[in-house]
Amino acid sequence: MKFRDGMWLPAEGKRLEYAEEVYSITEREDGKGISLLCPTRKVLQRSDSLNLSTLTIDIAAPFDGAISVEATHWLGALNPGPHFDLYPAGKPDKSDVNIKTSEKYTTLSSGSLSATVKTADHDFDIRFHATDGSKELTSLLNRSIGLAYSPATSNPMQTADMRNLDHYIFTQTTLSVGETVHGLGERFGAFNKVGQAITLWNADGGTSSDQAYKNVPLWISSRGYGIFIDTPDKVELEIGSERCCRVQTSVLGQRLKWYIIHGPTPKEVLQKYSILTGKPGKVPSWSFGLWLSTSFTTNYDESTVNSFLEGMKGRDIPVEVFHFDCFWMKAFHWCDFVFDSKMFPDPKAQITRLKKSGLVKKVCVWVNPYLGQASPVFKMAASKGYLLKRKNGDIFQWDLWQTGMGIIDFTNPEATEWYVGCLQDLFDKGVDSIKTDFAERIPTEDVKWYDSTLDPKKMHNYYAFLYNKIVYEALQDRFGENEAVLFARAATAGTQRFPVQWGGDCESTAEAMAESIRGGLSLGLCGYSFWSVDIGGFEGYPPPWIYKRWVAFGLLCSHSRLHGSNSFRVPWTVDNDDTSDQGCSRTLSKWTALKARLMPYIFSQAQESVRLGIPLSLRAMCLEFPDDPTSWYLDRQFMFGDSLLVAPVFEESGNVEFYLPKGKWTNFFTNQTKQGPGWFKETHNFDTLPLYVRENTVLVLGKWHETRTVYNYNEGVEVCLYYTTAGAKTTVVDSEGEASGVLEVGEDGQLLDQGFLQGAWHLTKNGRSASRPSK
């Protein structure tokens, strides 16, 4: 929201008051914070302290490298929940906090990060900087913290009745010359957010607008810090779009709290952010295989499902997970958890037969948190208070998406228990994973939650966290802590704990593929390790070339799923079963096999990504190369783990332009090398793309003929050394994610420890084997 009309005037209908000076500072009793009393005019004489607003600014050191800032107007205002679930693994016990006061300044230090408050000359000036003095990160200067009334008041007496007044709190942190801003959830627009106005409000808006399914109040700066805004409420940001040199954050209410987190690298920012909101959950090795969906509105039954899977097997395309989308239930009955008996008379037996056939190992089904009134279950749920109500006691209903649908009220423990019971019944039938769709359009007006202490506006975004947490923990309870897998669409801060997230409804175009990549990169910069996309695009009928280019991109995401809207995504339906080497079927087969071979690398990198709270894929280039200014603008390529660079192709011709940072890079397919930094152009068929290996990499690959996702990652592997020096190493894990051993290059260029490797493994240097070894 813009509060000003240019630099000089308030916006029409807005009254603004700013913290003009720091009048006094009080130190907290625990020695970990300070409280600033900030009048909204300079107090030059005693009478200036009357008839004016003040802002209280609390600055604290929660843990090393992080400082919280909370601005409050009226301290007596309630602060209802829900609140983000912070410190899920516990708050750090020790912190290095120091407060120093001089004649003109007070400095609060929290490990590597400090905040210095100017106390002289009636100025308002707060600087955030590295404790060692090496760098200033950002600041709060004149007219940078304030409150606003809308409509504008002309007399303080008007604030006696706030029912028709909106009250905002805002802050404006400075943007330095050349500084870029990234993150804020899965955003599909420009990767660098400077110049954009962004509203953090979950919406079902597809992938081609400024709306987002996953709004996360965290942004990362190219100057080595991040800011996490600690509220699930609607947050509005003007990122260099009201004042070009500032990021404005505003909320409707009496208080605004955020944390500034010092890296100095973006990886370190995310690692410290994970202390606040939690690390991503681990996912099992089988989940990295290919997922095949029925698609959304298509007709299917058991014979259709079997024909898909038999067709995939006949074309050498292993499928790890088969997904039943919405119409496993009757139309108008979503989501009552009852299989359509006409199409699926015995679902448990069908799933048993499906797995026994060997065509697929796992089964996933679609659910949402809504309930259509046509289902007999609706009356039961309504009578027991399981559904969200209006203020007058009616069930909240509308005809958007599902006729007369209600919304499960997860603040009611009994409703949650019932919902989990429905999930457990699915698990009894053989279901292994859940696609948790929707949860964005949660109403905020004329609603009353079972827990009436909660603020409906805050529940809008937070509902996605509750919904996914409940389903994820139900899966953990049944299958084990590290065996739970979702395919989730809506998210907010903390939802990275419940993987996997996917990118939502994209069109079947090259432009939509680029949008999806930008979305995945932005979400990854909010601490999400695992992300997927509808391969081929969701909406429409992808032409063969789009499908094949998307296959190459999709199989190099952490998770890979074929899914569409009103058309199937099995390859032979896309190109009339072109059996040539460059047809859809052969292309999909090759990329699926490549991902299987990469599993020793992928699954090892997955464990490290979870440990650090960083993305596996898509990993923004700036995470690996933060000192390269170009890396902060690259939104058409990404890293898969720390060693593989991927540049998807967006042209039917195969022409592609990409950037290699400093160093020697080896083409995975040809072993040819290029020296960065620089831009390069290549042309690719459908079975390759720019896939480059970083120098000093020890890359472990599965056997040439390996097409499975789950196997012994220590046996018969190829260990590839890419221009390594002494000390280069990699951790090899088993299919459960446990470390088997470390391969490290010694001074003589040989591997120091090989004892844990099994079978006929072999070593290659400066690339991989160019041809399949004889059996």
Side-chain angles (χ1 to χ4, degrees):
M1 174 175 289
K2 289 183 170 65
F3 292 106
R4 299 198 67 82
D5 179 2
M7 285 188 63
W8 317 120
L9 302 176
E12 184 176 352
K14 302 289 191 299
R15 174 179 171 82
L16 307 177
E17 300 181 33
Y18 298 95
E20 294 286 359
E21 68 168 299
V22 178
Y23 181 78
S24 64
I25 298 181
T26 304
E27 187 173 332
R28 269 176 30 178
E29 290 184 3
D30 63 4
K32 293 186 177 182
I34 54 178
S35 183
L36 317 182
L37 178 62
C38 302
T40 54
R41 68 168 172 256
K42 297 183 187 298
V43 179
L44 304 177
Q45 55 190 5
R46 285 187 172 184
S47 60
D48 290 337
S49 65
L50 302 175
N51 296 311
L52 83 164
S53 305
T54 61
L55 287 150
T56 302
I57 302 171
D58 293 304
I59 303 175
F63 57 88
D64 288 353
I67 288 177
S68 64
V69 177
E70 183 171 23
T72 309
H73 180 201
W74 288 334
L75 294 171
L78 297 176
N79 187 20
H83 305 291
F84 285 132
D85 182 18
L86 300 185
Y87 305 105
K91 195 171 182 178
D93 294 330
K94 297 179 180 179
S95 56
D96 181 14
V97 182
N98 190 21
I99 300 175
K100 293 182 178 180
T101 301
S102 68
E103 184 178 348
K104 292 186 176 181
Y105 299 98
T106 294
T107 297
L108 169 72
S109 297
S110 175
S112 67
L113 177 65
S114 293
T116 295
V117 182
K118 187 176 182 182
T119 54
D121 304 323
H122 299 279
D123 289 337
F124 187 87
D125 187 316
I126 304 173
R127 311 277 174 146
F128 300 94
H129 55 92
T131 299
D132 63 10
S134 60
K135 188 174 187 179
E136 182 171 307
L137 304 175
T138 189
S139 55
L140 293 164
L141 302 179
N142 65 306
R143 293 191 166 188
S144 62
I145 295 184
L147 60 99
Y149 292 105
S150 180
T153 59
S154 57
N155 184 324
M157 291 290 290
Q158 292 175 261
T159 63
D161 184 355
M162 294 293 294
R163 288 175 295 178
N164 296 314
L165 285 175
D166 285 335
H167 181 285
Y168 297 88
I169 295 284
F170 59 87
T171 64
Q172 290 184 350
T173 53
T174 53
L175 277 172
S176 298
V177 176
E179 183 174 359
T180 61
V181 169
H182 308 267
L184 294 171
E186 186 187 49
R187 314 218 75 84
F188 305 106
F191 181 51
N192 174 16
K193 305 302 184 287
V194 173
Q196 298 181 40
I198 290 177
T199 300
L200 300 180
W201 192 249
N202 285 359
D204 177 8
T207 68
S208 195
S209 75
D210 60 352
Q211 295 182 4
Y213 303 102
K214 306 170 188 68
N215 287 270
V216 182
L218 170 72
W219 53 269
I220 288 181
S221 163
S222 59
R223 286 186 64 82
Y225 69 94
I227 287 186
F228 167 61
I229 306 155
D230 185 17
T231 178
D233 207 343
K234 179 186 283 187
V235 178
E236 296 187 86
L237 296 111
E238 299 289 341
I239 307 171
S241 50
E242 177 170 311
R243 287 204 64 183
C244 299
C245 57
R246 293 185 179 183
V247 176
Q248 177 175 281
T249 304
S250 63
V251 294
L252 182 64
Q254 292 289 337
R255 58 175 56 83
L256 170 60
K257 183 177 183 179
W258 45 258
Y259 295 77
I260 180 170
I261 305 169
H262 182 223
T265 68
K267 279 187 179 180
E268 291 171 293
V269 171
L270 289 181
Q271 191 170 6
K272 292 172 185 175
Y273 169 71
S274 72
I275 295 172
L276 276 171
T277 63
K279 295 186 184 297
K282 291 186 175 182
V283 291
S285 50
W286 57 260
S287 70
F288 292 88
L290 184 63
W291 296 49
L292 175 62
S293 167
T294 60
S295 294
F296 170 34
T297 60
T298 54
N299 289 319
Y300 65 93
D301 55 16
E302 182 171 5
S303 63
T304 308
V305 171
N306 289 342
S307 70
F308 285 166
L309 291 171
E310 288 166 357
M312 296 288 271
K313 181 179 180 181
R315 292 165 175 81
D316 297 320
I317 308 169
V319 175
E320 193 75 38
V321 185
F322 191 82
H323 169 70
F324 292 81
D325 216 57
C326 315
F327 281 97
W328 64 270
M329 294 173 285
K330 290 182 180 179
F332 297 106
H333 283 216
W334 304 339
C335 178
D336 63 5
F337 295 93
V338 179
F339 275 86
D340 183 345
S341 58
K342 181 179 179 181
M343 304 299 287
F344 309 102
D346 191 346
K348 182 175 182 178
Q350 178 182 342
I351 293 172
T352 300
R353 289 191 294 271
L354 191 60
K355 293 180 179 180
K356 191 174 181 180
S357 71
L359 294 172
V360 69
K361 295 183 179 68
K362 304 290 182 179
V363 167
C364 175
V365 297
W366 173 95
V367 303
N368 70 24
Y370 311 141
L371 187 53
Q373 70 177 10
S375 170
V377 178
F378 181 92
K379 289 183 179 180
M380 180 280 297
S383 68
K384 292 182 176 292
Y386 296 168
L387 302 178
L388 177 63
K389 292 183 178 179
R390 298 186 186 274
K391 290 181 179 178
N392 67 1
D394 291 348
I395 302 299
F396 176 88
Q397 290 181 267
W398 57 14
D399 295 327
L400 182 64
W401 172 239
Q402 295 172 196
T403 301
M405 71 167 220
I407 297 172
I408 308 299
D409 187 344
F410 289 121
T411 73
N412 181 346
E414 292 184 5
T416 299
E417 184 180 0
W418 166 75
Y419 199 85
V420 170
C422 295
L423 294 170
Q424 295 288 358
D425 185 59
L426 290 179
F427 304 154
D428 291 341
K429 289 180 170 64
V431 172
D432 307 280
S433 179
I434 301 292
K435 173 181 170 181
T436 48
D437 206 352
F438 287 84
E440 301 92 1
R441 290 172 175 161
I442 304 302
T444 61
E445 302 297 328
D446 190 31
V447 294
K448 182 178 181 180
W449 293 89
Y450 176 84
D451 183 349
S452 59
T453 66
L454 300 177
D455 181 346
K457 298 197 307 302
K458 292 181 180 179
M459 278 296 296
H460 175 86
N461 285 348
Y462 193 76
Y463 188 87
F465 177 88
L466 273 184
Y467 168 45
N468 286 290
K469 180 176 188 286
I470 287 163
V471 179
Y472 187 77
E473 290 180 349
L475 285 161
Q476 286 183 312
D477 288 344
R478 171 58 66 97
F479 300 113
E481 181 180 359
N482 298 329
E483 287 290 315
V485 183
L486 303 180
F487 245 78
R489 192 174 74 173
T492 190
T495 319
Q496 70 272 9
R497 292 158 49 187
F498 321 123
V500 172
Q501 283 71 35
W502 106 96
D505 298 348
C506 48
E507 296 176 322
S508 298
T509 65
E511 291 78 12
M513 187 164 71
E515 292 164 3
S516 296
I517 290 173
R518 294 194 295 268
L521 292 172
S522 294
L523 188 68
L525 286 173
C526 296
Y528 286 72
S529 286
F530 308 111
W531 182 86
S532 187
V533 68
D534 291 343
I535 294 176
F538 177 73
E539 298 285 357
Y541 298 81
W545 78 268
I546 287 285
Y547 180 89
K548 289 181 283 189
R549 296 299 181 198
W550 212 309
V551 160
F553 157 51
L555 267 297
L556 293 171
C557 298
S558 77
H559 289 74
S560 307
R561 184 183 68 154
L562 295 162
H563 180 67
S565 178
N566 54 1
S567 59
F568 298 124
R569 290 294 179 264
V570 287
W572 57 91
T573 65
V574 177
D575 64 359
N576 294 317
D577 203 12
D578 179 354
T579 59
S580 71
D581 195 54
Q582 294 293 310
C584 289
S585 294
R586 288 297 302 142
T587 298
L588 179 58
S589 176
K590 291 174 185 177
W591 285 104
T592 305
L594 173 60
K595 191 172 189 182
R597 277 208 81 196
L598 286 169
M599 274 304 295
Y601 167 78
I602 292 171
F603 206 46
S604 175
Q605 289 283 311
Q607 312 315 309
E608 186 72 355
S609 297
V610 168
R611 184 182 73 82
L612 296 176
I614 62 176
L616 170 61
S617 181
L618 284 51
R619 183 179 297 182
M621 298 295 295
C622 56
L623 279 170
E624 291 296 329
F625 307 96
D627 294 330
D628 184 337
T630 301
S631 74
W632 292 91
Y633 294 90
L634 298 173
D635 62 2
R636 299 193 303 275
Q637 61 186 72
F638 54 90
M639 297 294 290
F640 195 160
D642 58 24
S643 296
L644 297 181
L645 183 150
V646 182
V649 180
F650 301 96
E651 300 289 341
E652 185 173 8
S653 64
N655 294 334
V656 57
E657 186 174 19
F658 59 97
Y659 178 81
L660 296 177
K662 183 179 179 180
K664 180 174 286 187
W665 295 84
T666 304
N667 186 307
F668 178 85
F669 299 103
T670 68
N671 287 339
Q672 294 178 339
T673 63
K674 285 183 167 65
Q675 191 71 32
W679 286 91
F680 300 89
K681 293 181 179 181
E682 293 180 352
T683 302
H684 286 262
N685 287 327
F686 294 110
D687 53 357
T688 62
L689 52 60
L691 178 61
Y692 278 81
V693 187
R694 194 176 185 175
E695 68 179 334
N696 218 31
T697 291
V698 180
L699 181 66
V700 181
L701 300 174
K703 300 173 185 178
W704 266 90
H705 59 276
E706 189 61 74
T707 59
R708 299 170 297 168
T709 304
V710 183
Y711 54 91
N712 186 345
Y713 303 143
N714 305 334
E715 183 179 7
V717 296
E718 179 181 359
V719 181
C720 311
L721 306 184
Y722 285 87
Y723 298 93
T724 53
T725 58
K729 60 185 177 181
T730 189
T731 300
V732 180
V733 300
D734 62 21
S735 59
E736 299 298 318
E738 298 297 325
S740 301
V742 176
L743 295 174
E744 182 173 355
V745 177
E747 293 292 340
D748 60 358
Q750 302 301 313
L751 295 176
L752 295 178
D753 181 15
Q754 313 164 8
F756 62 91
L757 296 180
Q758 304 167 11
W761 68 275
H762 62 287
L763 178 72
T764 58
K765 292 188 176 182
N766 300 335
R768 66 185 183 94
S769 297
S771 60
R772 182 190 298 258
S774 58
K775 294 182 180 180

